[in-house]
Amino acid sequence: MFEKSPAKIWRNRDVVYRLKYTYCRRCGKSFYPPRARCVYCGSQDIEYRYSSGRGVLKEYTIVYQVPKGFGEQSPLVIGLVELDEGFRVVSQIVDVELDKIRVGMRVEAVLRRMFVDGPTGLIQYGLKFTPLPQ
Ligand code: ZN
């Protein structure tokens, strides 16, 4: 998620911004990031799909000591989200009050600024998750 070159960001845009994932026709499992071969059964009978971006918060942690470049976002809430299509991603949870976070809450992917790359001033965007009306 933290690719720095604009060319790489462009190449990966469907994966990063649209949650492109892989569905395996043989075993029926979905996984992310997408690959040409199923990570569960090894089959190459796969297809690429796009997630709805909606899912459930399965676990989370609150990070008070944040990496350089994320300072203004402290504390960070990092969550394990299970998408409705059956795969999981680790992502930042935003727009949530710390005492309102709970496992099992419905969340939705939103495109947000990740950080500004110092030397180039390149603003990095990526998906984060925000609570849906519960
Ligand atoms: Zn499979």
Side-chain angles (χ1 to χ4, degrees):
M1 291 287 258
F2 299 102
E3 299 288 359
K4 287 201 172 182
S5 101
K8 272 190 181 170
I9 294 167
W10 182 249
R11 278 199 302 276
N12 291 331
R13 66 196 183 280
D14 279 358
V15 175
V16 175
Y17 298 153
R18 298 185 58 202
L19 284 176
K20 180 184 175 185
Y21 68 98
T22 311
Y23 170 78
C24 174
R25 291 195 191 104
R26 185 162 117 194
C27 73
K29 291 186 175 169
S30 299
F31 51 92
Y32 180 91
R35 291 184 211 282
R37 183 182 290 270
C38 177
V39 298
Y40 295 102
C41 74
S43 172
Q44 290 178 287
D45 186 14
I46 53 97
E47 63 184 60
Y48 297 109
R49 294 181 175 179
Y50 292 95
S51 170
S52 63
R54 294 184 170 198
V56 173
L57 184 63
K58 303 300 282 187
E59 291 176 34
Y60 68 90
T61 186
I62 299 171
V63 181
Y64 291 92
Q65 298 213 327
V66 301
K68 197 172 171 224
F70 289 84
E72 74 282 4
Q73 300 178 53
S74 173
L76 291 177
V77 180
I78 305 297
L80 177 67
V81 175
E82 184 170 283
L83 279 302
D84 290 346
E85 293 81 13
F87 66 93
R88 293 180 169 196
V89 297
V90 172
S91 181
Q92 189 180 347
I93 311 298
V94 293
D95 303 333
V96 63
E97 292 171 50
L98 295 185
D99 59 353
K100 300 259 169 62
I101 303 170
R102 60 177 177 77
V103 167
M105 76 194 310
R106 296 282 298 159
V107 294
E108 179 176 50
V110 289
L111 190 61
R112 290 291 169 81
R113 194 176 89 170
M114 304 294 281
F115 60 88
V116 179
D117 184 40
T120 64
L122 182 67
I123 298 173
Q124 294 278 292
Y125 287 86
L127 289 182
K128 302 182 182 184
F129 285 81
T130 187
L132 281 168
Q134 302 297 308

